[in-house]
Structure formats: C-alpha cells, structure tokens
Amino acid sequence: AVGASLVATPGFPLDDAWIHQVVARNLGLHGVYGVTPGAHSSGTSSLLWTLLLALGHLLRAPPVAWTLGLNAALYLAFGQWVLRAARDDGVPPPRALCLAAAATCTGNVAWFALSGMEATLLCALSAAAITAWFSAASPWRARIRAARSALRSATPPRHTST
C-alpha cells in the first residue's frame, strides 16, 4: 500500500524524512548544516544519513528518487549480509536464502525502506558489522568494532521499533 501510494504521489509518510531532506538540501546546496540556509543548527537525528542525502542534492538528483534508491540499495545490502552471515554459520544454501528473505520481507524492514528515514542504513550497517565480527577470516575485529560504533552513533535507532 505504501509503495502504491508513492507511485501516485511521490513523497514520504513521515515528517522526519522531510526534515532530513531540508537539512540535506541546505548542506548539499549551501554548505550549511541546518534547517535555514545560512544558519547552522541541529535538526536531524542521523548525521550519516543527512550526509548521504546531501550527496544527492549536490548531484542535483530528485530527492525522493535518490532517497528511495539509496534505501533500496541498503535494503538489498541488508539481505546480502544476512545471507552471508547464515552461509558463514554453515546454514545450507536453500535455508540461508529463506532466512535472508524472511529477514528482509518483514513488514518493518519493508516500511523502513520506503519511509525515507535512516532505519535501513542502520539495518545494513548492523548486519555488515555483525557478519564481519563473527567471520573467522576477519583479523580486523577491533577496527570493525570501532568503525561500527562510530557509524552507529551517527545513525541512532530512532523510529526503528514498533
């Protein structure tokens, strides 16, 4: 239903997504992190998400298309990281694929991808960090842990639970 409404009227269902867009637009077009051009201020809950959205404004991409494309890529990345984690854990391929599909096809995760918010970024970063952390081939655990902590602090889990 949300996907169908986006086709009829492109936009986002939450006002917070638009707040991110305004701050990202001002950052991308005016170099100012804030709601009002020329005036620095806080206003978004996720610096990393705002920076990714600002890149779209800098490239003059349509904001709704850029955000949905970014979330679609992150949605697919989340599924791939879940699949990889399952395969690394020894789950047979058909079951691993079902597990990844179950994780990505839940209502919340689908909603995240269409909401215009940073929740899909948080899911993808978390799945990537968990997979890397438990990978037997990863000698980089301390670096991954530090990077994960830095990125997660820039992407708070706001609006991610129901």
Side-chain angles (χ1 to χ4, degrees):
V2 174
S5 69
L6 284 173
V7 172
T9 308
F12 302 112
L14 301 171
D15 62 338
D16 289 11
W18 290 109
I19 294 167
H20 281 289
Q21 289 295 332
V22 169
V23 175
R25 180 188 64 216
N26 288 333
L27 183 59
L29 300 181
H30 307 292
V32 175
Y33 186 85
V35 177
T36 306
H40 294 279
S41 66
S42 63
T44 66
S45 56
S46 172
L47 176 61
L48 182 58
W49 185 243
T50 303
L51 291 172
L52 291 170
L53 296 179
L55 178 61
H57 287 281
L58 188 64
L59 297 172
R60 306 276 195 227
V64 173
W66 174 265
T67 305
L68 292 176
L70 189 57
N71 263 337
L74 291 164
Y75 179 83
L76 293 173
F78 171 65
Q80 289 298 310
W81 283 113
V82 171
L83 179 63
R84 180 174 171 192
R87 292 294 301 130
D88 287 353
D89 205 30
V91 177
R95 287 186 181 171
L97 185 59
C98 287
L99 180 63
T104 56
C105 292
T106 63
N108 284 355
V109 176
W111 164 257
F112 294 161
L114 296 172
S115 71
M117 295 293 291
E118 72 273 14
T120 311
L121 174 63
L122 177 67
C123 290
L125 288 176
S126 296
I130 291 166
T131 302
W133 181 261
F134 286 105
S135 173
S138 178
W140 296 72
R141 286 188 178 163
R143 290 185 183 121
I144 291 167
R145 189 176 198 178
R148 180 198 62 179
S149 295
L151 292 173
R152 293 255 344 245
S153 68
T155 311
R158 196 169 83 94
H159 300 297
T160 58
S161 62
T162 57

